[in-house]
């Protein structure tokens, strides 16, 4: 009797907790008991067959509570409508089914059976202590033309696998057009590597009330928050977008999610690297201090986010924890706008001078390094190296006209205040470059031609770049000996947070003196 009383109290606590955390006062809240078995699907048919091992000790969650499977691989959890059930995958297992791994989770939508049974078939996999991750911000397609832009530029790069690799889509897969979800999912499932998705503010059913705004995403992609392990890295995926009216939203982490993180961290070894991921930057999340408090004593934590359509890095300090955040830019750049190239693809240059991009993060045990990948460009293209005084257009740009000629302007894709940038000319001595508060030269060019009504040309859309100083720009005035003739400049950038970039170019002009 006491056992059933405790179960009843647990369910009641879950209902009240979920209800207070989601503010769904106008919706009928439905809570069902989900039971099931986690097992080793040795023949990969997705069914429990005789002799297949039931997996003990696997964590399973409803996005709030975490339970551990018993010796028969069984679990039981209360789940409310709009919630999900998912295992927290250990490093040596994956799920049978879709290569879009979180799509294999169970989403409890409207009309689901009472007290459903949900089994999770798992397959053994190699533990990858060294692996790559493609951190992909905002693909954000609004129609089939934009989807075609993505499949002609981004997808060919992702289809070339450097195994073992993961793809993490950092939200805003679509631009308020959830009818594209099935096609997006099918395209992701074409990729040779496992993929995971994050929910963004444009991925919602924006005309619905709060939890129903995640209905289409949940039905197609399984869950908007979860966790998994790869090697010695523990990933925690969160949803920090909460509907405010039909179109607006707030950026915070619900009490339910914080409770999930609190429970989850109990099972994460101290020597594992924690990687947080959400759509809107952690640095812009209202109650980020609550999450920092939960991470107390965890040392270095990495956060991967999107949303800004520009590359930015942020740093948050807590008690015994330091969160290094990479705002990874956008695969769509500035929303698929701007002048088109010879194949009809918009340039979509981002505000601080980064082209359409994603980041490649290389994990080695609990350490990592990362670099920017400009989409459609050589992997070595990690910066813009501009020399003023060569292109006569520079003299007509209101944002650059006061910069002296023979100045190196270096836009380092992913650089920040902690990054050291240096260069050398013709294999000479290395010189330290100076962090500058200037507009990126390519942004300045586009902005000027917008203001002069040169852009957009016919059949193109304006890229609405603003006069904004780039956080990733450094300068160096060329010494007198390098103001005439042909020269080579090499650039190196690095910092202690795993970032490095290199660049090289030749230049040739005649400028006899600084005056």
């Amino acid at each position: 009797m006491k056992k059933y009383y405790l179960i009843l109290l647990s369910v009641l606590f879950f209902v009240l907790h979920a209800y207070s955390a989601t503010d769904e006062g106008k919706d009928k809240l439905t809570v069902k008991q989900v039971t099931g078995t986690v097992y080793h699907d040795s023949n990969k048919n997705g069914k429990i067959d005789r002799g297949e091992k039931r997996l003990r000790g696997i964590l399973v969650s409803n996005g709030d509570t975490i339970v551990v499977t018993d010796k028969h691989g069984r679990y039981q959890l209360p789940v409310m409508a709009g919630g999900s059930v998912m295992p927290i995958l250990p490093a040596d297992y994956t799920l049978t089914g879709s290569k879009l791994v979180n799509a294999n989770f169970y989403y409890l939508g409207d009309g689901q059976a009472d007290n459903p049974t949900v089994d999770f078939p798992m397959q053994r996999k190699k533990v990858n202590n060294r692996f790559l991750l493609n951190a992909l911000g905002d693909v954000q397609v609004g129609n089939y033309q934009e989807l075609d832009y993505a499949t002609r530029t981004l997808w060919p790069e992702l289809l070339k696998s450097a195994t073992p690799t993961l793809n993490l889509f950092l939200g805003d897969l679509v631009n308020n057009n959830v009818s594209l979800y099935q096609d997006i999912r099918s395209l992701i499932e074409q990729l040779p590597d496992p993929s995971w998705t994050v929910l963004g503010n444009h991925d919602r059913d924006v005309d619905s009330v709060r939890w129903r705004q995640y209905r289409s995403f949940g039905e197609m992609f399984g869950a908007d928050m979860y966790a998994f392990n790869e090697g010695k890295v523990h990933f925690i995926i969160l949803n920090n977008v909460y509907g405010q009216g039909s179109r607006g939203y707030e950026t915070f982490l619900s009490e339910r999610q914080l409770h999930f993180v609190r429970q989850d961290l109990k099972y994460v070894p101290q020597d594992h690297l924690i990687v947080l991921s959400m759509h809107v930057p952690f640095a812009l999340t209202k109650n980020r201090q609550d999450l920092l408090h939960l991470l107390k004593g965890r040392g270095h934590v990495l956060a991967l986010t999107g949303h800004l359509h520009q590359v930015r890095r942020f740093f948050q300090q807590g008690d015994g924890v330091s969160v290094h955040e990479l705002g990874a830019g956008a695969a769509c750049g500035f929303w698929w706008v701007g002048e088109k190239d010879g194949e009809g693809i918009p340039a979509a240059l981002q505000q601080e001078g980064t082209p359409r991009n994603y980041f490649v993060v290389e994990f080695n045990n609990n350490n990592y390094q990362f670099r920017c990948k400009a989409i459609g460009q050589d992997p070595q293209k990690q910066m813009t190296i501009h020399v003023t005084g060569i292109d006569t257009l520079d003299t007509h740009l209101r944002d650059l006209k006061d910069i002296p000629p023979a100045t190196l302007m270096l836009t380092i894709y992913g650089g920040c205040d902690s990054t050291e940038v240096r260069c050398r000319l013709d294999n000479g001595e290395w010189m330290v470059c100076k962090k500058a508060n200037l507009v990126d030269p390519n942004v300045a060019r586009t902005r000027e031609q917008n203001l002069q009504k040169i852009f957009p040309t016919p059949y193109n859309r304006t890229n609405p770049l603003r006069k904004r100083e780039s956080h990733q720009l450094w300068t160096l005035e060329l010494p007198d000996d390098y103001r005439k003739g042909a020269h080579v400049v090499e650039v190196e950038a690095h910092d202690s947070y795993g970032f490095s970039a290199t660049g090289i170019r030749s230049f040739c002009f005649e400028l006899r003196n600084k005056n």
Side-chain angles (χ1 to χ4, degrees), residues 191-352:
L191 302 179
D193 303 307
S195 298
W196 305 82
T197 57
V198 177
L199 181 138
N201 55 293
H202 289 283
D203 291 328
R204 300 170 296 141
D205 299 277
V206 292
D207 294 324
S208 300
V209 294
R210 184 169 288 181
W211 77 261
R212 293 180 181 274
Q213 291 191 357
Y214 316 127
R215 183 180 68 255
S216 293
F217 187 90
E219 290 173 348
M220 190 61 61
F221 302 113
D224 60 358
M225 59 165 295
Y226 51 90
F228 66 95
N229 296 278
E230 188 72 21
K232 296 187 73 172
V233 183
H234 183 73
F235 292 87
I236 302 175
I237 312 301
L238 299 172
N239 173 13
N240 62 348
V241 177
Y242 286 87
Q244 186 79 342
S246 62
R247 293 277 175 175
Y249 61 92
E250 297 179 285
T251 302
F252 66 93
L253 296 168
S254 68
E255 287 298 325
R256 186 166 177 256
Q257 291 193 87
L258 292 171
H259 185 255
F260 169 76
V261 174
R262 185 181 297 110
Q263 301 303 309
D264 179 55
L265 290 175
K266 295 177 182 178
Y267 299 97
V268 181
Q270 282 292 136
D271 65 341
H272 281 43
L273 173 68
I274 293 172
V275 177
L276 304 173
S277 188
M278 58 202 79
H279 177 61
V280 180
F282 177 65
L284 305 181
T285 302
K286 290 181 180 179
N287 59 337
R288 59 187 177 276
Q289 292 298 327
D290 294 338
L291 183 52
L292 273 176
H293 178 71
L294 296 180
L295 294 167
K296 178 180 177 180
R298 283 286 172 170
H300 184 78
V301 171
L302 174 64
L304 300 172
T305 55
H307 186 63
L308 295 179
H309 295 263
Q310 57 186 287
V311 175
R312 289 289 303 275
R313 288 167 65 191
F314 305 94
F315 298 88
Q316 305 288 322
Q317 298 291 331
D319 187 359
V321 61
S322 172
V323 178
H324 166 221
E325 177 173 4
L326 171 61
C332 74
F334 237 41
W335 295 276
W336 300 112
V337 298
E339 298 299 299
K340 297 185 178 72
D341 65 15
E343 295 188 353
I345 307 296
L349 180 69
Q350 295 175 83
Q351 179 63 61
E352 299 205 353

Side-chain angles (χ1 to χ4, degrees), residues 99-270:
K99 287 185 179 178
L100 203 172
V101 184
N102 49 288
N104 298 304
F105 298 160
Y106 176 78
Y107 175 79
L108 182 66
D110 294 331
Q112 299 283 359
D114 288 335
N115 303 325
T117 298
V118 180
D119 300 326
F120 289 108
M122 286 191 174
Q123 303 170 33
R124 297 281 307 202
K125 75 176 191 65
K126 180 182 177 181
V127 176
N128 298 311
N129 288 320
R130 298 192 67 168
F131 63 96
L132 301 179
L133 179 138
N134 295 320
L136 300 138
D138 305 57
V139 179
Q140 202 158 343
V141 293
N143 51 51
Y144 280 97
Q145 182 179 27
E146 292 177 351
L147 189 58
D148 186 57
Y149 295 154
T151 57
R152 287 196 284 144
T153 58
L154 173 61
W155 250 252
E157 298 189 10
L158 301 182
L159 286 165
K160 298 176 182 178
S161 176
T163 305
T165 302
L166 304 178
N167 300 308
L168 179 59
F169 291 87
L170 298 169
D172 281 1
L173 287 168
V174 299
N175 194 0
N176 298 332
N177 186 356
V178 298
S179 67
L180 293 172
Y181 271 167
Q182 182 60 67
D183 295 294
I184 288 281
R185 173 171 167 170
S186 296
L187 287 167
I188 294 175
E189 289 174 332
Q190 292 177 354
L191 302 179
D193 303 307
S195 298
W196 305 82
T197 57
V198 177
L199 181 138
N201 55 293
H202 289 283
D203 291 328
R204 300 170 296 141
D205 299 277
V206 292
D207 294 324
S208 300
V209 294
R210 184 169 288 181
W211 77 261
R212 293 180 181 274
Q213 291 191 357
Y214 316 127
R215 183 180 68 255
S216 293
F217 187 90
E219 290 173 348
M220 190 61 61
F221 302 113
D224 60 358
M225 59 165 295
Y226 51 90
F228 66 95
N229 296 278
E230 188 72 21
K232 296 187 73 172
V233 183
H234 183 73
F235 292 87
I236 302 175
I237 312 301
L238 299 172
N239 173 13
N240 62 348
V241 177
Y242 286 87
Q244 186 79 342
S246 62
R247 293 277 175 175
Y249 61 92
E250 297 179 285
T251 302
F252 66 93
L253 296 168
S254 68
E255 287 298 325
R256 186 166 177 256
Q257 291 193 87
L258 292 171
H259 185 255
F260 169 76
V261 174
R262 185 181 297 110
Q263 301 303 309
D264 179 55
L265 290 175
K266 295 177 182 178
Y267 299 97
V268 181
Q270 282 292 136

Side-chain angles (χ1 to χ4, degrees), residues 16-171:
L16 293 174
H17 189 198
Y19 188 81
S20 64
T22 53
D23 191 26
E24 312 301 350
K26 295 182 180 180
D27 286 307
K28 182 180 180 181
L29 195 64
T30 304
V31 176
K32 300 179 181 181
Q33 287 295 313
V34 176
T35 59
T37 301
V38 181
Y39 64 98
H40 180 210
D41 185 21
S42 57
N43 60 6
K44 303 180 182 179
N45 69 352
K47 300 177 182 178
I48 300 180
D49 295 315
R50 181 177 295 178
E52 288 186 325
K53 182 180 179 181
R54 278 57 169 170
L55 297 178
R56 178 178 187 172
I58 301 295
L59 305 179
V60 184
S61 179
N62 55 17
D64 177 277
T65 304
I66 295 174
V67 297
V68 183
T69 56
D70 65 17
K71 64 181 180 180
H72 302 292
R74 294 180 303 202
Y75 73 91
Q76 178 175 324
L77 280 166
V79 183
M80 70 174 182
S84 301
V85 181
M86 57 274 181
I88 298 176
L89 291 177
D92 57 346
Y93 275 98
T94 189
L95 286 164
T96 298
S98 175
K99 287 185 179 178
L100 203 172
V101 184
N102 49 288
N104 298 304
F105 298 160
Y106 176 78
Y107 175 79
L108 182 66
D110 294 331
Q112 299 283 359
D114 288 335
N115 303 325
T117 298
V118 180
D119 300 326
F120 289 108
M122 286 191 174
Q123 303 170 33
R124 297 281 307 202
K125 75 176 191 65
K126 180 182 177 181
V127 176
N128 298 311
N129 288 320
R130 298 192 67 168
F131 63 96
L132 301 179
L133 179 138
N134 295 320
L136 300 138
D138 305 57
V139 179
Q140 202 158 343
V141 293
N143 51 51
Y144 280 97
Q145 182 179 27
E146 292 177 351
L147 189 58
D148 186 57
Y149 295 154
T151 57
R152 287 196 284 144
T153 58
L154 173 61
W155 250 252
E157 298 189 10
L158 301 182
L159 286 165
K160 298 176 182 178
S161 176
T163 305
T165 302
L166 304 178
N167 300 308
L168 179 59
F169 291 87
L170 298 169

